[in-house]
Short mmCIF file of all heavy atoms in Angstrom, two decimals:
data_model
loop_
_atom_site.label_atom_id
_atom_site.label_comp_id
_atom_site.label_asym_id
_atom_site.label_seq_id
_atom_site.Cartn_x
_atom_site.Cartn_y
_atom_site.Cartn_z
N GLU A 912 -54.51 -56.52 34.15
CA GLU A 912 -54.22 -57.89 34.44
C GLU A 912 -54.23 -58.14 35.97
O GLU A 912 -54.64 -59.19 36.45
CB GLU A 912 -52.87 -58.28 33.84
CG GLU A 912 -52.56 -59.77 33.98
CD GLU A 912 -51.22 -60.18 33.43
OE1 GLU A 912 -50.26 -59.41 33.59
OE2 GLU A 912 -51.09 -61.28 32.84
N LEU A 913 -53.76 -57.18 36.69
CA LEU A 913 -53.79 -57.27 38.13
C LEU A 913 -55.23 -57.31 38.65
O LEU A 913 -55.54 -58.12 39.59
CB LEU A 913 -53.04 -56.05 38.74
CG LEU A 913 -52.83 -56.03 40.27
CD1 LEU A 913 -52.25 -57.28 40.78
CD2 LEU A 913 -51.98 -54.85 40.64
N ALA A 914 -56.11 -56.54 38.08
CA ALA A 914 -57.50 -56.55 38.47
C ALA A 914 -58.09 -57.97 38.17
O ALA A 914 -58.89 -58.50 38.96
CB ALA A 914 -58.29 -55.49 37.76
N ARG A 915 -57.72 -58.54 37.08
CA ARG A 915 -58.18 -59.88 36.72
C ARG A 915 -57.76 -60.90 37.74
O ARG A 915 -58.50 -61.87 38.08
CB ARG A 915 -57.77 -60.27 35.30
CG ARG A 915 -58.31 -61.59 34.83
CD ARG A 915 -57.98 -61.90 33.37
NE ARG A 915 -56.58 -62.01 33.14
CZ ARG A 915 -56.04 -62.14 31.95
NH1 ARG A 915 -56.80 -62.10 30.88
NH2 ARG A 915 -54.71 -62.28 31.80
N ALA A 916 -56.54 -60.78 38.21
CA ALA A 916 -56.03 -61.71 39.25
C ALA A 916 -56.76 -61.47 40.55
O ALA A 916 -57.00 -62.46 41.33
CB ALA A 916 -54.54 -61.51 39.46
N LEU A 917 -57.13 -60.25 40.89
CA LEU A 917 -57.78 -59.94 42.15
C LEU A 917 -59.24 -60.37 42.18
O LEU A 917 -59.79 -60.68 43.27
CB LEU A 917 -57.71 -58.42 42.45
CG LEU A 917 -56.33 -57.85 42.78
CD1 LEU A 917 -56.41 -56.39 42.81
CD2 LEU A 917 -55.86 -58.40 44.13
N VAL A 918 -59.89 -60.39 41.05
CA VAL A 918 -61.35 -60.58 41.00
C VAL A 918 -61.73 -61.93 41.49
O VAL A 918 -62.86 -62.18 41.94
CB VAL A 918 -61.90 -60.30 39.61
CG1 VAL A 918 -61.68 -61.46 38.68
CG2 VAL A 918 -63.37 -59.90 39.67
N ALA A 919 -60.79 -62.92 41.48
CA ALA A 919 -61.09 -64.28 41.97
C ALA A 919 -60.98 -64.35 43.48
O ALA A 919 -61.13 -65.38 44.06
CB ALA A 919 -60.12 -65.26 41.33
N GLN A 920 -60.64 -63.22 44.13
CA GLN A 920 -60.55 -63.10 45.59
C GLN A 920 -59.53 -64.14 46.14
O GLN A 920 -59.87 -64.98 46.94
CB GLN A 920 -61.92 -63.24 46.26
CG GLN A 920 -62.90 -62.15 45.81
CD GLN A 920 -64.27 -62.37 46.37
OE1 GLN A 920 -64.91 -63.38 46.14
NE2 GLN A 920 -64.78 -61.36 47.08
N PRO A 921 -58.27 -64.09 45.68
CA PRO A 921 -57.30 -65.09 46.07
C PRO A 921 -56.87 -64.97 47.48
O PRO A 921 -56.95 -63.89 48.10
CB PRO A 921 -56.15 -64.82 45.09
CG PRO A 921 -56.26 -63.32 44.85
CD PRO A 921 -57.73 -63.04 44.81
N LYS A 922 -56.31 -66.06 47.99
CA LYS A 922 -55.60 -65.99 49.29
C LYS A 922 -54.07 -65.71 49.02
O LYS A 922 -53.45 -65.08 49.86
CB LYS A 922 -55.72 -67.36 49.97
CG LYS A 922 -57.17 -67.74 50.29
CD LYS A 922 -57.23 -69.16 50.81
CE LYS A 922 -58.70 -69.57 51.01
NZ LYS A 922 -58.82 -71.01 51.37
N LEU A 923 -53.55 -66.17 47.86
CA LEU A 923 -52.23 -65.89 47.49
C LEU A 923 -52.19 -65.27 46.13
O LEU A 923 -52.68 -65.86 45.16
CB LEU A 923 -51.40 -67.21 47.49
CG LEU A 923 -49.96 -67.11 46.98
CD1 LEU A 923 -49.10 -66.24 47.88
CD2 LEU A 923 -49.31 -68.46 46.82
N LEU A 924 -51.64 -64.09 46.02
CA LEU A 924 -51.46 -63.40 44.72
C LEU A 924 -50.02 -63.41 44.35
O LEU A 924 -49.14 -62.93 45.10
CB LEU A 924 -51.95 -61.92 44.91
CG LEU A 924 -51.73 -61.01 43.67
CD1 LEU A 924 -52.54 -61.47 42.48
CD2 LEU A 924 -52.04 -59.54 44.04
N MET A 925 -49.72 -63.98 43.18
CA MET A 925 -48.37 -64.13 42.67
C MET A 925 -48.15 -63.10 41.58
O MET A 925 -48.85 -63.14 40.55
CB MET A 925 -48.16 -65.54 42.21
CG MET A 925 -48.29 -66.58 43.24
SD MET A 925 -48.34 -68.30 42.62
CE MET A 925 -46.79 -68.36 41.75
N LEU A 926 -47.19 -62.27 41.75
CA LEU A 926 -46.92 -61.20 40.76
C LEU A 926 -45.52 -61.42 40.12
O LEU A 926 -44.52 -61.38 40.80
CB LEU A 926 -46.87 -59.84 41.50
CG LEU A 926 -48.18 -59.41 42.26
CD1 LEU A 926 -47.95 -58.09 42.93
CD2 LEU A 926 -49.37 -59.41 41.33
N ASP A 927 -45.56 -61.67 38.85
CA ASP A 927 -44.36 -61.98 38.09
C ASP A 927 -43.85 -60.68 37.37
O ASP A 927 -44.40 -60.33 36.38
CB ASP A 927 -44.60 -63.10 37.08
CG ASP A 927 -43.31 -63.62 36.47
OD1 ASP A 927 -42.22 -63.11 36.78
OD2 ASP A 927 -43.39 -64.61 35.68
N GLU A 928 -42.85 -60.05 37.98
CA GLU A 928 -42.24 -58.84 37.43
C GLU A 928 -43.26 -57.75 37.10
O GLU A 928 -43.33 -57.30 35.97
CB GLU A 928 -41.33 -59.15 36.26
CG GLU A 928 -40.19 -60.10 36.65
CD GLU A 928 -39.03 -60.10 35.66
OE1 GLU A 928 -38.90 -59.13 34.87
OE2 GLU A 928 -38.28 -61.08 35.68
N PRO A 929 -44.07 -57.31 38.03
CA PRO A 929 -45.12 -56.32 37.75
C PRO A 929 -44.53 -54.95 37.35
O PRO A 929 -45.22 -54.19 36.72
CB PRO A 929 -45.86 -56.21 39.08
CG PRO A 929 -44.92 -56.63 40.13
CD PRO A 929 -44.08 -57.72 39.45
N ALA A 930 -43.28 -54.67 37.73
CA ALA A 930 -42.65 -53.39 37.43
C ALA A 930 -41.94 -53.40 36.05
O ALA A 930 -41.44 -52.35 35.65
CB ALA A 930 -41.68 -52.97 38.50
N GLY A 931 -41.86 -54.51 35.38
CA GLY A 931 -41.15 -54.62 34.12
C GLY A 931 -41.79 -53.70 33.10
O GLY A 931 -42.99 -53.69 32.89
N GLY A 932 -40.97 -52.85 32.48
CA GLY A 932 -41.44 -51.96 31.43
C GLY A 932 -42.04 -50.68 31.96
O GLY A 932 -42.48 -49.85 31.17
N LEU A 933 -42.03 -50.39 33.26
CA LEU A 933 -42.62 -49.23 33.82
C LEU A 933 -41.51 -48.19 34.08
O LEU A 933 -40.37 -48.55 34.38
CB LEU A 933 -43.34 -49.53 35.14
CG LEU A 933 -44.45 -50.59 35.07
CD1 LEU A 933 -45.14 -50.69 36.44
CD2 LEU A 933 -45.49 -50.26 34.01
N ASN A 934 -41.89 -46.91 34.01
CA ASN A 934 -40.93 -45.86 34.34
C ASN A 934 -40.88 -45.64 35.87
O ASN A 934 -41.65 -46.28 36.64
CB ASN A 934 -41.21 -44.57 33.61
CG ASN A 934 -42.59 -44.01 33.94
OD1 ASN A 934 -43.06 -44.05 35.08
ND2 ASN A 934 -43.29 -43.43 32.91
N HIS A 935 -40.06 -44.72 36.34
CA HIS A 935 -39.80 -44.57 37.81
C HIS A 935 -41.10 -44.13 38.48
O HIS A 935 -41.43 -44.57 39.59
CB HIS A 935 -38.67 -43.57 38.06
CG HIS A 935 -37.33 -44.11 37.66
ND1 HIS A 935 -36.78 -45.17 38.29
CD2 HIS A 935 -36.47 -43.70 36.71
CE1 HIS A 935 -35.59 -45.45 37.78
NE2 HIS A 935 -35.37 -44.56 36.80
N THR A 936 -41.83 -43.20 37.88
CA THR A 936 -43.13 -42.78 38.48
C THR A 936 -44.10 -43.90 38.54
O THR A 936 -44.82 -44.07 39.57
CB THR A 936 -43.69 -41.60 37.63
OG1 THR A 936 -42.74 -40.52 37.62
CG2 THR A 936 -44.99 -41.11 38.23
N GLU A 937 -44.19 -44.69 37.48
CA GLU A 937 -45.13 -45.79 37.49
C GLU A 937 -44.73 -46.86 38.49
O GLU A 937 -45.57 -47.52 39.10
CB GLU A 937 -45.20 -46.41 36.07
CG GLU A 937 -45.85 -45.50 35.08
CD GLU A 937 -45.62 -45.91 33.62
OE1 GLU A 937 -44.69 -46.73 33.38
OE2 GLU A 937 -46.36 -45.42 32.74
#
């Protein structure tokens, strides 16, 4: 999903809780 947001070559990237559901290593 992050790659999909990047592919439009944005000036502003908004990330809504990207760490949700990830473990400490992730």
Side-chain angles (χ1 to χ4, degrees):
E912 187 181 39
L913 185 51
R915 185 172 65 186
L917 289 172
V918 80
Q920 300 176 303
K922 298 171 185 175
L923 175 65
L924 174 64
M925 299 169 56
L926 304 177
D927 191 357
E928 298 197 22
L933 304 184
N934 62 38
H935 291 296
T936 300
E937 291 166 343

